[in-house]
Amino acid sequence: MTVLPLTMMDSPVLHQKAKRVRKIDDSIQKLIDDMIETMYQLGGAAGLAAPQVGIPLQVVVIELPESGLITLINPQVVKSSGEHEVMEGCLSLPGYRGSIKRAESVTVKGRDRYGKEVRIKAEGLFAQALQHEVDHINGVVYVDHLESMDNLYKAEPEDDDESGYI
Ligand code: NI
């Protein structure tokens, strides 16, 4: 497994829609393994989308206490409800956090790494991470949701690590 370099906010790949995966072959399995390794190496990261490692494909990995380690291929939000203000950070914009609105709960449909169709209903942080990662594969980043640049904050030095970034 290989730790992949992260793309940063100024990279075009983060602002374009990623391609659907048509066949979950060995190269996709390797990409998933490398993404998991990369997420672990970033200690405390809650998730990672393929465009964040420069690959314009619809593949995401998430790991939270409430979700365990999951891989989603071609995920899409099929239902969302409620709305709340959340603090969010992204591995592609280290040192910043923003206050944005997210749905409180979502249902996401996609496939796991074995090609099996999955449907996940989530709330709270898990729902937030799912929305963040599905956004990534659609070329949307959380700063696109900021109502004002006043809602973007420099992280305090003491919490300036990757924890909580997705
Ligand atoms: Ni992100």
Side-chain angles (χ1 to χ4, degrees), residues 52 89-92 132-133 136 166:
Q52 290 183 281
C90 180
L91 293 163
S92 303
H132 184 106
E133 300 307 347
H136 269 309
I166 32 188

Side-chain angles (χ1 to χ4, degrees), residues 68-122:
L69 174 62
I70 59 166
T71 298
L72 285 170
I73 294 166
N74 303 335
Q76 43 178 312
V77 176
V78 290
K79 212 167 135 185
S80 60
S81 64
E83 192 183 63
H84 62 163
E85 196 93 14
V86 292
M87 269 302 222
E88 203 153 304
C90 180
L91 293 163
S92 303
L93 190 62
Y96 288 89
R97 285 178 191 279
S99 176
I100 59 165
K101 290 196 173 96
R102 288 288 190 196
E104 282 174 326
S105 68
V106 291
T107 302
V108 170
K109 208 176 77 172
R111 288 184 188 275
D112 68 12
R113 65 182 302 171
Y114 307 105
K116 187 173 166 262
E117 256 194 62
V118 289
R119 201 180 168 90
I120 297 169
K121 193 166 192 292

Side-chain angles (χ1 to χ4, degrees), residues 8-26:
M8 292 294 128
M9 210 46 93
D10 57 355
S11 173
V13 72
L14 286 179
H15 306 281
Q16 67 195 40
K17 192 171 162 69
K19 289 192 205 74
R20 283 179 67 81
V21 173
R22 293 182 184 282
K23 191 165 168 251
I24 306 171
D25 58 14
D26 288 353

Side-chain angles (χ1 to χ4, degrees), residues 18-36:
K19 289 192 205 74
R20 283 179 67 81
V21 173
R22 293 182 184 282
K23 191 165 168 251
I24 306 171
D25 58 14
D26 288 353
S27 71
I28 298 295
Q29 297 295 346
K30 182 173 173 3
L31 172 63
I32 293 166
D33 287 338
D34 289 348
M35 285 172 62
I36 291 169

